[in-house]
Amino acid sequence: MGREKTIMDSSKVFFAEIGDMTYFTARFFREAFKPPFEFKELLRQCYNMGNRSLLLVGVTGFILGLVFTIQSRPTLMEFGAESWMPSMVSISIVREIGPVIIALISAGRIGSGIGAELGSMRVTEQIDAMEVSGTNPFKYLVVTRILATTLMLPLLILIGDAIALFGSAIIENLKGEVSFQLYFNQVFDALSFADLIPATIKSFFFGFAIGLVGCYKGYYCSKGTVGVGEASNAAVVYTSMLLFVIDFIAVFVTDIFYG
């Protein structure tokens, strides 16, 4: 009996969370298209999120390209197919590995930062003060951050993919004596719009999910400093799970259209 009650309580909390997040999402779309628009704050958030995440994304992409090529090369050599390395690496990174890994890294960097920042503002009653002063805190704090993550994550993924391919080209140049020109010629021959378009579209959804969950957890943070840590941690955990769900849906839909 006690176990059934615990399961029922957990289910209620889960569905209540889904309902609250759905309302939060609907409110975002309602506020996003209603003037006045906070363009200055949006640009500031885009700069902060993009500039501060660029080094982390670049290092991650470079190491990803190095490791993926080093690990894959011996297997391809066993079958005498090392000439397929540029094609395999480029398709794998652009289609799946690059967007997912960089989105997860950004969830830890950007999502947790948004959750902690808005949580701190809620705990210190800055959001309440904005409401009292007549400012719309949801439009100024939430809408700008969600739009910024939605716009900036595709750019970060594009840069990360390019750096990952450059890292892979370095390994091929050192181990396989393949020139950079030949390597990237094979890369661009292997890639098509069927690879680029779905990956780009789902990267916008990745960015939207990161901003949405981070803002939701921070904006409705519970009182106390403990609540700030919980909001930051929950933002990363929930976003990571949501990214995999979005990725599965994107791959499934892509398979229907291009399969």
Side-chain angles (χ1 to χ4, degrees):
M1 189 69 180
R3 182 179 180 183
E4 292 178 357
K5 186 176 183 303
T6 302
I7 294 175
M8 288 291 293
D9 292 340
S10 300
S11 300
K12 289 180 181 178
V13 171
F14 174 76
F15 286 111
E17 190 90 356
I18 295 297
D20 291 341
M21 188 168 291
T22 302
Y23 173 77
F24 191 81
T25 306
R27 186 180 178 187
F28 161 77
F29 283 109
R30 186 173 66 248
E31 295 283 354
F33 299 101
K34 186 171 65 175
F37 303 107
E38 303 288 350
F39 288 113
K40 186 175 181 180
E41 177 65 13
L42 174 61
L43 292 176
R44 191 178 74 85
Q45 291 298 327
C46 287
Y47 174 78
N48 288 338
M49 293 177 185
N51 183 55
R52 294 179 181 178
S53 303
L54 189 58
L55 178 61
L56 180 62
V57 168
V59 173
T60 301
F62 186 70
I63 295 176
L64 175 64
L66 294 177
V67 172
F68 189 65
T69 305
I70 292 173
Q71 292 286 352
S72 303
R73 185 173 175 77
T75 303
L76 291 180
M77 289 182 65
E78 290 181 5
F79 296 96
E82 60 267 25
S83 61
W84 288 91
M85 178 65 73
S87 302
M88 186 197 71
V89 170
S90 61
I91 292 175
S92 299
I93 288 178
V94 170
R95 276 188 182 180
E96 190 65 25
I97 299 176
V100 172
I101 296 297
I102 293 173
L104 289 172
I105 292 296
S106 299
R109 168 65 184 83
I110 299 174
S112 62
I114 292 175
E117 183 180 11
L118 294 187
S120 299
M121 296 181 72
R122 173 65 72 181
V123 168
T124 56
E125 299 182 348
Q126 295 181 49
I127 295 178
D128 298 332
M130 293 178 68
E131 292 175 346
V132 171
S133 64
T135 305
N136 186 347
F138 192 92
K139 179 179 284 291
Y140 186 81
L141 299 175
V142 174
V143 173
T144 54
R145 281 164 173 79
I146 295 178
L147 288 177
T149 55
T150 305
L151 295 174
M152 294 307 299
L153 193 68
L155 295 177
L156 292 174
I157 289 175
L158 180 64
I159 294 171
D161 288 348
I163 296 176
L165 293 176
F166 178 73
S168 176
I170 291 176
I171 297 298
E172 281 296 285
N173 182 261
L174 295 176
K175 288 183 170 290
E177 298 181 356
V178 177
S179 66
F180 287 99
Q181 181 178 357
L182 176 59
Y183 182 90
F184 283 103
N185 283 340
Q186 294 184 15
V187 165
F188 290 118
D189 286 341
L191 293 174
S192 65
F193 284 106
D195 302 313
L196 296 173
I197 293 176
T200 303
I201 292 175
K202 73 179 179 182
S203 65
F204 282 100
F205 286 96
F206 287 166
F208 179 77
I210 292 172
L212 180 70
V213 177
C215 288
Y216 170 76
K217 287 297 180 182
Y219 197 77
Y220 294 114
C221 172
S222 59
K223 297 295 183 180
T225 54
V226 176
V228 177
E230 291 177 350
S232 179
N233 180 66
V236 177
V237 175
Y238 281 42
T239 303
S240 299
M241 292 190 297
L242 189 57
L243 290 177
F244 285 113
V245 173
I246 294 173
D247 185 55
F248 169 75
I249 295 173
V251 171
F252 184 77
V253 173
T254 302
D255 184 65
I256 293 176
F257 279 99
Y258 294 101

